[in-house]
Amino acid sequence: MRIKDIAKLAGVSPATVSRVMNNNGYVKEDKRKAVLEVIEAVDYQPNEIAKSLKSQKSRMIGVIVPKISTETASRVVAGVTHVAKTAGYQVLIANTNLDIEEEIKYLKFLSNKSVDGIIMMGTEVTDRHLEVMNKLTIPIVILGQKVSGYTSIIHNDYDASYQMTEYLINQGHKAIGFIGVDEKDYAVGVLRKKGYLDCLSDYNLNGSDGLIAIGDFDIDTGFKMMKKILAKSQPTAVFAVTDHLAIGAIHALLDQGYRVPEDISVVGIGDIKLAEYLNPPLTTMHYTFKTSGQMAAEAVFDLIENNAHKGEQLMTSFQLKERRSVKHL
Amino acid sequence: MRIKDIAKLAGVSPATVSRVMNNNGYVKEDKRKAVLEVIEAVDYQPNEIAKSLKSQKSRMIGVIVPKISTETASRVVAGVTHVAKTAGYQVLIANTNLDIEEEIKYLKFLSNKSVDGIIMMGTEVTDRHLEVMNKLTIPIVILGQKVSGYTSIIHNDYDASYQMTEYLINQGHKAIGFIGVDEKDYAVGVLRKKGYLDCLSDYNLNGSDGLIAIGDFDIDTGFKMMKKILAKSQPTAVFAVTDHLAIGAIHALLDQGYRVPEDISVVGIGDIKLAEYLNPPLTTMHYTFKTSGQMAAEAVFDLIENNAHKGEQLMTSFQLKERRSVKHL
DNA sequence: CTGTTAGCGCATTCAA
DNA sequence: TTGAATGCGCTAACAG
């Protein structure tokens, strides 16, 4: 059913149908009514693709995520779809499974006007990314990493990490272990580590090598890194940079016969949904991933529709969730 | 950069450029080379929207999910995006937040050729849904519910539930509580309950009213329903129809001073990622949500590209994960 | 106020 | 083997 058919049925021209559908231009009341009736009767739905070709806008945005099945990513996407809906946009998901080539491929592919804007949830942003991003003609916002020159939504990783470390110190801990990730992920790998190190140093504490272990993002890494730390040192608390890592660490501890938090305390960052249902309930920093997604979406729409200033850096808040995985010494 | 520009740069006609891009028709080798060089040089990306308008195919599929931030949904979407990628399709996400009107709206909206096929992750499939689905001209596959006449990917909820109940009975349990959900969700609300009831009956056991509680899908419901059951009866085991419900139940039990599984055993269905890291590690039925998503995607593509027979019912497997939340009596 | 025309970028006739 | 012309469905410009 095309606009032409509706026009014929209503006894008007296609242009008139278009005018009533889009509520612009003058249309006499009786014709408008006639058109509306036909539209109603046949449940006419305009062809969005044709509209896109004409208007050079697709009313779609692309979201590039490293791994959709992750709680973080799905919360972000929930936030994005939420504001996209009220703005009348559709969202296209590109799941890259952390493959940089895939990310770049999608960056290019999505750009040929097949979407009006892009939100990229970044882990690592390389020069290759930048090169492609610089050629993009559509707005892009980066979520999770700070990229100068591009609008970014970032989590306050440094402060969150610093404050978490400080919290542990305030609870009387001095030997604080650290489980981190590779520095290729600047936000998580570098910033969270720096927050920890700086805080330690500010309190004249020592982050010796034996207390620090670096690995991947998964629970199993948390498990292994915890054992590695235990082999070299005797922390009273361990700060894992993600909740999953913390869960792995707790299990390693339990496995070695330690009690948490009685013998060793453990904290994470992120506040996954189940954090409070863990045993012990995990003390962690609550991150507002859904809100980040919303902010990112609002930022792209602002860029798309209002030609907003590109390059703004928005920072989301975090909040300490004190639960029961830390012992006050 | 349009096809016309490339043509000009390469000194050929747009038609020739189109021929080399799509590898069809005859093109003399030197011209082909010239075109390829220009394409390479300017990194030409064809306009997908124009292609779609021309071909009447968008190479996109829509996925309607009740709530993307849910582990189940995000695993399904991971499966869908995975096979979509290899098939060269993009996926459009429509997040309905369990709003039936939204589902219907998207069913209509996505259909106007803006996608080539739809995967709907269903909770409740009403007559209104059916009415709209019947008018659809593009293929649709339902995931999670059985809808006759439509290709559906279903989980074997009845058998999973029956076997879980039987497992509990084999462990010596006779008073088995049940935490379920509303029957509007046929698969989870009706089938899983029926599996439980039928099994009980086959073993001449009694699913008295005091042992059964029905509520929503969230953890808190599990908590409340568990307390409700405890107020009326004294089960030795409780079967919750989802892992989240089971987690809530465990917490209610702990809260009342019971030990799990020493005093009361608890099982769930789904096998969320953290199930094995819970305390106690949760015995549950492993469901293959990512595989379901893959199957659904394969099914739509089959419908789209090979005009496959519509109405097939595919059932996914499940597997008991015996962990430590059940005591052998 | 309304209809006719043209063109968005592409692939596909049809001629040459 | 190639190019010119056409049309996918829509909306904007222009004419009336």
Side-chain angles (χ1 to χ4, degrees), chain A residues 2-3 18 22 44 46-47 51 54:
Chain A
R2 301 151 307 163
I3 203 169
S18 173
N22 301 295
Y44 169 65
N47 182 314
K51 288 173 78 162
K54 177 69 189 172

Side-chain angles (χ1 to χ4, degrees), chain B residues 46-57:
Chain B
N47 182 313
E48 295 297 326
I49 292 174
K51 288 174 76 163
S52 294
L53 182 60
K54 178 69 189 175
S55 67
Q56 304 287 38
K57 305 219 173 305

Side-chain angles (χ1 to χ4, degrees), chain A residues 58-74:
Chain A
S58 64
R59 293 202 82 78
M60 294 197 301
I61 57 166
V63 183
I64 300 177
V65 295
K67 210 163 189 302
I68 183 65
S69 58
T70 248
E71 186 176 330
T72 303
S74 65

Side-chain angles (χ1 to χ4, degrees), chain A residues 100 131 211 245 270:
Chain A
I100 292 183
E131 192 186 323
L211 283 169
L245 255 14

